[in-house]
Amino acid sequence: MKTDSDQVQHFYYHLDETKPIEVLNHLHEGKNGWFDMHYEMEMGIVLSGKMKRSYDSTDIELGAGEVWFCNMWEPHGFQITDTPCEVIVFEIFPPLIHHNLLNYNWLLPFNSSAERRPQVTSHDKNEVLSITSKVKQELARSPKDLVRQQLLMFELIHLVARNSLEKLSIVKSSISSQHRIAPAMELVFKERRFIPLEEAAKVCAMSKNGFSQHFSKLMRTTFSRFALNYRVRGALHDHSHSDKKLEAIATDWGFTDASHLHKYINKK
C-alpha cells in the first residue's frame, strides 16, 4: 500500500516517563483501514481475523497469533481482510526500551527493516495468544496498572524476537552499536535544547562521521531528525497538558520562539 504523505494521519498519544505505554484493544468488524505515523514505537498482535500491514514498499499478511512492529515516525497502515479482527496494540514511549536491559537489544525488532522484522514461529503462536489473553484481563481488571502491562509487553517482545536473531555476531554488533550511541540518546531525552551533531558525537567518544553512521544504521533515521522529533513531540505534549503559552513552551524546548516551533509542527 503506497500513500501520499498528505493522506497519512498523525497520531499523538501523549506518553511520557509517568505514562510510558498505552495498551489498546480494538475489534474491527468491518474491512476498514488507514495509514498513520506517530512518535511512539508500536507493537501489535492479531487475536482473531486477518489484516494486511503496509509500510513504504512492503505488505505483510497477519493472522491470529502474529505480530507487527513500527519504529518512531514510521508511516504504516493496515487493511482488515477477514472479520471480525481483534487486535491488541502497545504504543510505547521510546525511552522506555532504548536501554540494553538484561543484555538484550529490545530496539532490534522495531529498528529492523519492515521485511526483516521478527515474526512469531508457528510453535509460539499459542503462547503469544496466551500472553495477550493476560493483557486483556489486566486491561479489564486494572487498566491503570502500567507495571504489569509493561512486564507483559517485554515478555511478548522477547518471545517474538528470540527466535529471529540470525547470528550471534549480528546481535553483538547491534548491541555494541546501541551501547556506543546510548550517551547521545540520554542527552536527547534529558536535555530540552538543540543538540549539535558535534556534541552528540563527542559524548559518545566518536567522530562525527562514525557516530552518524552508527546512529543511522541502528535507528534508521539521522540523529538530527531524531532529536528534533523528540523536542517537537515534547513541546506538543506540554502544550496539551499545561497552561503555558506556546512562546514559553517553545523556549523550554530550545526553539527560538513560537513561530520557530510552529514551523516544525506544520511539517509533522
Side-chain angles (χ1 to χ4, degrees):
M1 179 196 307
K2 290 189 177 181
T3 183
D4 186 273
S5 59
D6 291 338
Q7 297 176 326
V8 179
Q9 301 179 58
H10 298 84
F11 288 171
Y12 298 97
Y13 291 96
H14 306 299
L15 302 183
D16 54 25
E17 292 84 357
T18 60
K19 184 187 177 184
I21 67 170
E22 182 168 349
V23 187
L24 309 169
N25 183 198
H26 292 308
L27 179 62
H28 300 279
E29 297 183 303
K31 294 187 176 181
N32 59 312
W34 62 74
F35 216 87
D36 64 86
M37 63 187 295
H38 40 73
Y39 165 70
E40 293 77 11
M41 292 177 167
E42 179 177 299
M43 175 179 67
I45 306 95
V46 178
L47 277 62
S48 63
K50 293 181 181 179
M51 64 163 48
K52 179 173 70 174
R53 303 294 308 187
S54 299
Y55 302 89
D56 183 30
S57 59
T58 301
D59 290 341
I60 302 172
E61 299 284 347
L62 298 177
E66 296 181 313
V67 307
W68 73 85
F69 295 94
C70 298
N71 205 357
M72 293 177 293
W73 294 118
E74 178 181 21
H76 58 277
F78 74 91
Q79 184 69 48
I80 303 300
T81 57
D82 186 19
T83 59
C85 181
E86 185 179 12
V87 298
I88 290 284
V89 184
F90 290 85
E91 301 298 344
I92 308 163
F93 186 53
L96 177 65
I97 59 173
H98 92 278
H99 295 291
N100 181 26
L101 302 174
L102 302 176
N103 198 34
Y104 194 82
N105 184 4
W106 300 99
L107 287 172
L108 188 62
F110 303 89
N111 292 334
S112 303
S113 59
E115 66 274 8
R116 291 176 59 84
R117 286 172 184 160
Q119 187 49 261
V120 180
T121 65
S122 56
H123 180 265
D124 288 332
K125 285 184 181 180
N126 286 338
E127 188 172 355
V128 167
L129 290 172
S130 175
I131 297 172
T132 51
S133 177
K134 295 178 183 177
V135 174
K136 287 185 63 177
Q137 292 172 12
E138 289 297 325
L139 289 175
R141 181 173 54 195
S142 305
K144 295 184 179 181
D145 187 353
L146 299 182
V147 173
R148 179 61 177 160
Q149 292 174 23
Q150 289 175 64
L151 289 173
L152 291 169
M153 177 195 74
F154 281 115
E155 186 176 356
L156 281 165
I157 295 175
H158 180 262
L159 174 61
V160 176
R162 69 182 181 186
N163 294 318
S164 303
L165 304 178
E166 298 175 355
K167 296 180 181 179
L168 186 59
S169 60
I170 295 178
V171 180
K172 287 183 176 179
S173 174
S174 179
I175 291 176
S176 175
S177 294
Q178 186 179 346
H179 274 306
R180 296 191 71 182
I181 69 169
M185 297 280 283
E186 292 286 356
L187 196 63
V188 170
F189 293 142
K190 291 180 179 179
E191 299 279 343
R192 295 188 171 194
R193 61 178 175 85
F194 168 71
I195 300 170
L197 180 61
E198 294 85 348
E199 182 179 355
K202 185 176 181 180
V203 298
C204 295
M206 300 172 68
S207 69
K208 283 175 56 178
N209 289 340
F211 170 76
S212 293
Q213 291 174 2
H214 275 282
F215 193 95
S216 297
K217 182 177 180 180
L218 181 63
M219 299 302 296
R220 299 186 64 79
T221 187
T222 65
F223 172 77
S224 297
R225 183 175 299 169
F226 171 84
L228 176 61
N229 284 340
Y230 183 77
R231 289 165 57 217
V232 172
R233 169 63 178 78
L236 286 170
H237 178 273
D238 284 358
H239 186 53
S240 300
H241 290 78
S242 75
D243 296 328
K244 280 188 176 183
K245 293 183 178 180
L246 190 60
E247 191 76 29
I249 292 172
T251 302
D252 287 346
W253 285 93
F255 297 94
T256 55
D257 52 34
S259 62
H260 184 206
L261 170 59
H262 197 263
K263 179 179 71 173
Y264 290 111
I265 291 176
N266 285 340
K267 291 181 179 181
K268 292 297 178 192

